[in-house]
Structure formats: structure tokens, C-alpha cells
Amino acid sequence: AQTVTQSQPEMSVQEAETVTLSCTYDTSESDYYLFWYKQPPSRQMILVIRQEAYKQQNATENRFSVNFQKAAKSFSLKISDSQLGDAAMYFCAYKDAGNMLTFGGGTRLMVKP
Amino acid sequence: DVKVTQSSRYLVKRTGEKVFLECVQDMDHENMFWYRQDPGLGLRLIYFSYDVKMKEKGDIPEGYSVSREKKERFSLILESASTNQTSMYLCASSLWGTGAGNTIYFGEGSWLTVV
């Protein structure tokens, strides 16, 4: 079974600074997708960014970007110019050709004004 | 706009009660999911349904059952609630297909406390 590990239960960042959240995963598949989801205090889970494993180029969405290292099975999320609204739980998730997502344990991000 | 609606945000039930958590999606999605979220454990899949009346067990199905009589509705049932089932429950849906990148959409969650 696939596993997803987020080794940082909590992180904090100063407003306007950059922070990187770590994620590693274990799989024997070659074709899969990786996701970062954000869960703010309202509890609605929101997709932040996704990466196809067959693409070498790292995905970017505005202030959010990933560092995808396929050989190392690492998938970190970088948030640039952090804003107060970025404070949330962040979940890394894995999905292969099946239809189910496997989630990591989450990282709580705090943003200091 | 995409919508996954969970009927109850907060519930308090007694040990041994039968509990129903309802979820409705308006996107004509084939797949629907029930996850349980606990601190430090992330989201764990309880059950998955890919079609009406079809279901598959996830990672932690014990103590739970599901019902999918209509495409848009997926119910999670706790036959006899226990205190270790106190948790946040998240419903989600997605399109079916070999496209592994199909986004999964989540509801707002249901906080269940069993006393």
C-alpha cells in the first residue's frame, strides 16, 4: 500500500516570508499524481496544486510551487510571500490510476503578522 | 459551482445509537468517498463508492457501513456508535475515469461526538 509522510506537524512563517512544507511518499507505481490540499479553519478542503509524475517540470500556481523529486519520492510545497490567509492545515496526497487518495498526516501552518 | 454538502456539521450522539451522516453532490460525479480525520493521522478512507449500490472498503471500514441508492447521495452509517468513533467525517466526490488527476471535491465536514 502507498504511504504518504509529512514529517512536520507544525510550521510557522512570518508574513511576506517564504516557507516550505515537506512530503515524502512510497510507491512502486510509475504513473501517479501528487496533490497539496489546504484545510482552513472553516474545514472546507481546497486543492492548492497538483503534479503529474510523468512531468519533470514542477507545478506552479501563483505563490505556490512544488519541488518534485521523483527518484527521492519527495514532493515539497513552497509558499512565497506568505499571507495571513495561508494559515491552515496542509495535506499532501497521492493518487494513482485507481480513484482513491492517500493522505499524509498534515502540517499546521501558522502565519505571524 | 462545485458543491458537496454534508447535512450535519455538528452532532452529539450517545453510545449505542445508530447514526446517519448524509452527503449530497450536485456535480453528477460517479465516485463518492467517506473519510475520517483525526489529529496526526490525516484523512483515512472509510468507504468508497464508484456507482449506485456499489461500494468498496477503505482502510478503516470496521464499525461503519454505507448506502448509495442514488448517484448524488452517499450515506455513512454507524450501526452502534462508540466513543472511539468521535471524529471529523469528510465526504468527497470525483469523476470516474482513468484520468488519475481527476480532482476530488470535499464537503465541509461533520463533527461527531459520541458520549
Side-chain angles (χ1 to χ4, degrees):
Chain A
Q2 288 76 19
T3 58
V4 178
T5 303
Q6 293 177 248
S7 59
Q8 306 152 317
E10 282 191 0
M11 292 282 286
S12 66
V13 63
Q14 204 71 35
E15 195 176 6
E17 298 293 310
T18 296
V19 65
T20 299
L21 308 184
S22 301
C23 174
T24 58
Y25 58 96
D26 185 27
T27 184
S28 57
E29 302 291 332
S30 59
D31 185 22
Y32 52 87
Y33 283 69
L34 296 163
F35 304 82
W36 278 99
Y37 277 87
K38 172 184 177 182
Q39 188 182 45
S42 68
R43 293 284 172 174
Q44 187 87 49
M45 196 81 76
I46 304 164
L47 178 66
V48 174
I49 198 166
R50 73 182 193 192
Q51 173 81 43
E52 294 91 337
Y54 63 85
K55 289 188 177 179
Q56 293 186 340
Q57 187 174 3
N58 289 325
T60 299
E61 289 286 342
N62 302 313
R63 297 182 296 107
F64 298 88
S65 61
V66 298
N67 182 7
F68 174 48
Q69 302 288 329
K70 191 171 184 179
K73 297 180 181 174
S74 170
F75 182 61
S76 60
L77 175 70
K78 185 171 85 170
I79 306 173
S80 303
D81 186 25
S82 297
Q83 301 175 0
L84 294 177
D86 294 333
M89 283 290 291
Y90 286 82
F91 291 97
C92 177
Y94 163 98
K95 183 172 182 284
D96 58 26
N99 281 269
M100 287 182 270
L101 276 179
T102 301
F103 287 86
T107 297
R108 181 176 301 281
L109 177 66
M110 294 172 284
V111 182
K112 299 176 182 177
Chain B
D1 199 17
V2 165
K3 194 84 172 176
V4 177
T5 303
Q6 295 181 231
S7 57
S8 303
R9 290 297 309 274
Y10 302 96
L11 305 93
V12 180
K13 298 292 182 180
R14 294 191 180 279
T15 300
E17 273 193 82
K18 190 169 186 176
V19 181
F20 291 87
L21 299 180
E22 305 286 343
C23 176
V24 177
Q25 50 94 5
D26 65 359
M27 297 162 284
D28 203 33
H29 284 169
E30 293 85 2
N31 298 332
M32 295 190 76
F33 310 83
W34 275 105
Y35 287 91
R36 172 176 170 161
Q37 182 178 0
D38 298 288
L41 298 177
L43 277 72
R44 294 178 292 168
L45 182 65
I46 304 171
Y47 267 98
F48 160 54
S49 170
Y50 54 90
D51 200 354
V52 174
K53 296 190 186 294
M54 305 305 290
K55 62 185 180 185
E56 284 190 13
K57 293 180 179 178
D59 299 319
I60 52 164
E62 296 78 18
Y64 303 95
S65 62
V66 291
S67 172
R68 187 140 181 227
E69 298 296 321
K70 293 184 178 181
K71 189 177 184 180
E72 67 271 18
R73 187 178 299 270
F74 192 36
S75 302
L76 180 69
I77 303 158
L78 288 68
E79 293 289 342
S80 178
S82 64
T83 55
N84 63 12
Q85 292 178 309
T86 292
S87 187
M88 159 71 86
Y89 292 88
L90 284 166
C91 175
S93 72
S94 75
L95 289 169
W96 170 262
T98 55
N102 280 340
T103 299
I104 294 184
Y105 297 90
F106 286 86
E108 291 187 325
S110 297
W111 271 110
L112 172 66
T113 301
V114 183
V115 297

